[in-house]
Amino acid sequence: MFYTTNAIVLSKLKYRDNDLIVSCYTQDFGVLSFLLRGVLKSKKGNTKIAYFQLLSQIQIVIDYKPNRALHTIKEVKINTFYTSLHTQVVKSTIVMFLADVLTMALKEEESNLELFSFLEQKLDWLDKHEKISNFHLLFLLQLTKYLGFYPDTSLVEFPYFNLSSGLFENKPYGKYSVSDENLEFLKLFLGIIFDDVATIKMTAKQRQRFLDMLLLFYELHLGHFKKPKSLAVFSQVFS
């Protein structure tokens, strides 16, 4: 049966000589994978590939059948035309990194309209703004709201944060208790919106340490999560 749904491209992989497998986060069905047959062997195929750049926002007509591993796309069009996300080096590096994170973090084949709206809005924000050095940090932190392990802020005044429990604590419990400057940055990011994210002043080393803490936070709460392969390239660009 054919359905029309909005989607965000998460990854693409060459399959055989002329085919691509594309993974998307869809508005109506969650994560789905699609087989694009023959797109690598013709000039017309090259035009089609352009729709599937990482984190592109597209609308697709799909032949969807439950429990099928690979689905078919019948029609595709761009929903949002980015002006800088795929052309500026720093932004394209952020895109590559976040696509890796989302590919590992999003596994469910079910609709989550709030999460989909969050992704749409924040990608649009990234495309339109220039002061973005802290964007990925706030993005990763706010994404945890939709993944089910956002920090409990009811005791945010306490001097420790436990990455394993997601709680602020009065005393350190275990090896995942945070009390250094990462704790202070965490409290700042918890109380800020994207339009003000550039007001948080961090050195490159501080930004990297805070990112490492956030990725550990993900690993502790998502059993299948591993540090993105693009992390090394991403860290070089932001060093």
Side-chain angles (χ1 to χ4, degrees):
M1 188 169 180
F2 293 105
Y3 296 89
T4 300
T5 186
N6 295 327
I8 296 171
V9 179
L10 300 180
S11 67
K12 58 185 178 182
L13 177 69
K14 184 179 179 181
Y15 178 68
R16 296 176 178 169
D17 291 332
N18 301 308
D19 304 338
L20 278 181
I21 294 176
V22 176
S23 175
C24 295
Y25 187 66
T26 69
Q27 188 172 30
D28 297 297
F29 304 100
V31 178
L32 294 179
S33 294
F34 303 94
L35 178 61
L36 308 182
R37 295 185 182 277
V39 297
L40 300 178
K41 67 178 181 181
S42 68
K43 292 182 178 179
K44 188 175 180 180
N46 290 335
T47 302
K48 194 171 184 180
I49 292 172
Y51 291 111
F52 297 98
Q53 296 186 77
L54 293 179
L55 300 189
S56 289
Q57 297 184 44
I58 56 178
Q59 184 182 88
I60 50 179
V61 178
I62 63 174
D63 183 8
Y64 175 78
K65 295 180 181 179
N67 303 316
R68 177 187 282 181
L70 292 173
H71 303 271
T72 302
I73 295 177
K74 294 298 183 181
E75 298 177 25
V76 58
K77 68 177 184 179
I78 297 292
N79 257 353
T80 299
F81 289 90
Y82 296 136
T83 59
S84 62
L85 222 57
H86 294 129
T87 55
Q88 292 186 12
V89 173
V90 172
K91 287 187 179 183
S92 62
T93 305
I94 293 175
V95 164
M96 177 178 63
F97 172 74
L98 293 182
D100 276 355
V101 170
L102 291 169
T103 296
M104 285 185 288
L106 305 180
K107 298 296 183 182
E108 298 298 325
E109 290 190 18
E110 60 183 30
S111 175
N112 185 332
L113 296 180
E114 290 186 353
L115 172 54
F116 193 87
S117 178
F118 167 79
L119 296 177
E120 284 184 315
Q121 292 172 15
K122 301 320 171 191
L123 291 173
D124 288 345
W125 189 97
L126 178 60
D127 184 54
K128 294 182 173 102
H129 290 77
E130 297 306 319
K131 295 181 179 180
I132 57 170
S133 58
N134 293 333
F135 170 86
H136 59 293
L137 303 176
L138 185 57
F139 181 95
L140 290 179
L141 183 59
Q142 289 199 1
L143 180 62
T144 64
K145 291 179 183 178
Y146 308 94
L147 300 178
F149 57 98
Y150 189 71
D152 183 338
T153 60
S154 59
L155 298 172
V156 70
E157 73 277 6
F158 279 9
Y160 297 91
F161 178 73
N162 192 306
L163 293 172
S164 182
S165 67
L167 301 173
F168 287 91
E169 300 171 333
N170 202 28
K171 295 181 181 180
Y173 292 97
K175 63 180 180 179
Y176 298 118
S177 186
V178 177
S179 62
D180 56 11
E181 66 180 359
N182 274 344
L183 176 71
E184 301 308 316
F185 284 127
L186 176 61
K187 291 182 179 182
L188 288 174
F189 278 104
L190 286 170
I192 206 165
I193 61 174
F194 278 87
D195 285 346
D196 297 329
V197 71
T199 64
I200 298 179
K201 303 304 180 183
M202 308 174 78
T203 66
K205 288 183 178 180
Q206 288 172 329
R207 194 173 289 113
Q208 183 61 51
R209 285 194 292 266
F210 190 73
L211 175 59
D212 289 340
M213 184 195 75
L214 287 176
L215 293 177
L216 176 58
F217 191 38
Y218 271 67
E219 289 183 65
L220 291 171
H221 290 269
L222 299 175
H224 54 267
F225 189 88
K226 296 180 181 179
K227 288 185 178 179
K229 293 181 180 179
S230 60
L231 181 60
V233 175
F234 181 80
S235 298
Q236 285 182 352
V237 170
F238 275 84
S239 63

